Amino acid sequence: SPPSAPYPQGPPAPGLPASPAPGAGQPGGQTFTDAFGRFRVNFPQGTMPVGATYNFMNPATMTQIAIQLMGHDQMFQMNLQNFPAMMRQMGATLEPEQSMDVRGKQARLLTATKRDQGSGAGMRSLNVFVPEVNLWIQVMGPDQNAAQLQQILQTILGGLQF
């Protein structure tokens, strides 16, 4: 069902403009406005963004979606290399990695499942890493909704624009 109220009104394009807000912050610094338009912050000159994370949820499917973008190749590669070991350390099992094409770009799909020791319920995490643009997309939800999770991931990937 559609939301009962519109999303909070904010700026049309959040992020870092080329110049600071008038009369704000230090000379030559940049102003950042959050995606919900709830705060602005002025950074000192020379400050630059290194990454961004966007989190979404779909209550009807009990799905969480995280999209992480890294500004530096080295940071992205470190996340990608450490991901399997981190998942195993948290007690998850990993399916064999799959190569895939995302809108003409090579990508890697890593799927992890973690089971609760007491209830046996599992959480499934579908993770697509697109190195060319340093993008990590994660779709996570109950293991019993595996088909829905896959469908949600495919919808997201199909709607991506580079």
Side-chain angles (χ1 to χ4, degrees):
S1 69
S4 58
Y7 290 107
Q9 295 300 308
L16 291 169
S19 62
Q26 298 184 4
Q30 294 188 343
T31 300
F32 173 82
T33 303
D34 81 299
F36 293 109
R38 294 183 183 164
F39 74 89
R40 290 168 54 130
V41 63
N42 298 307
F43 291 106
Q45 187 170 0
T47 303
M48 65 180 72
V50 294
T53 303
Y54 303 92
N55 295 297
F56 305 89
M57 65 181 287
N58 183 330
T61 60
M62 296 183 288
T63 305
Q64 296 178 28
I65 301 162
I67 300 174
Q68 186 176 72
L69 182 65
M70 300 305 295
H72 300 282
D73 294 345
Q74 218 172 6
M75 292 174 72
F76 178 83
Q77 288 300 325
M78 188 174 64
N79 273 348
L80 177 56
Q81 290 169 0
N82 293 335
F83 182 79
M86 182 181 68
M87 289 288 98
R88 285 188 197 96
Q89 187 175 20
M90 292 173 31
T93 56
L94 289 167
E95 295 178 12
E97 182 180 314
Q98 298 177 33
S99 292
M100 62 187 306
D101 177 90
V102 175
R103 312 293 275 173
K105 300 189 183 313
Q106 289 298 309
R108 297 163 65 176
L109 171 66
L110 289 100
T111 302
T113 304
K114 184 174 181 346
R115 298 232 170 265
D116 180 68
Q117 300 295 345
S119 69
M123 287 297 289
R124 187 173 187 83
S125 170
L126 305 176
N127 301 273
V128 175
F129 293 88
V130 188
E132 189 177 332
V133 291
N134 296 340
L135 182 68
W136 171 12
I137 299 170
Q138 179 181 65
V139 176
M140 188 169 61
D143 191 34
Q144 70 264 21
N145 294 357
Q148 268 186 318
L149 296 174
Q150 186 66 37
Q151 183 180 17
I152 290 167
L153 178 62
Q154 290 308 316
T155 299
I156 292 168
L157 296 177
L160 269 178
Q161 297 179 20
F162 298 110

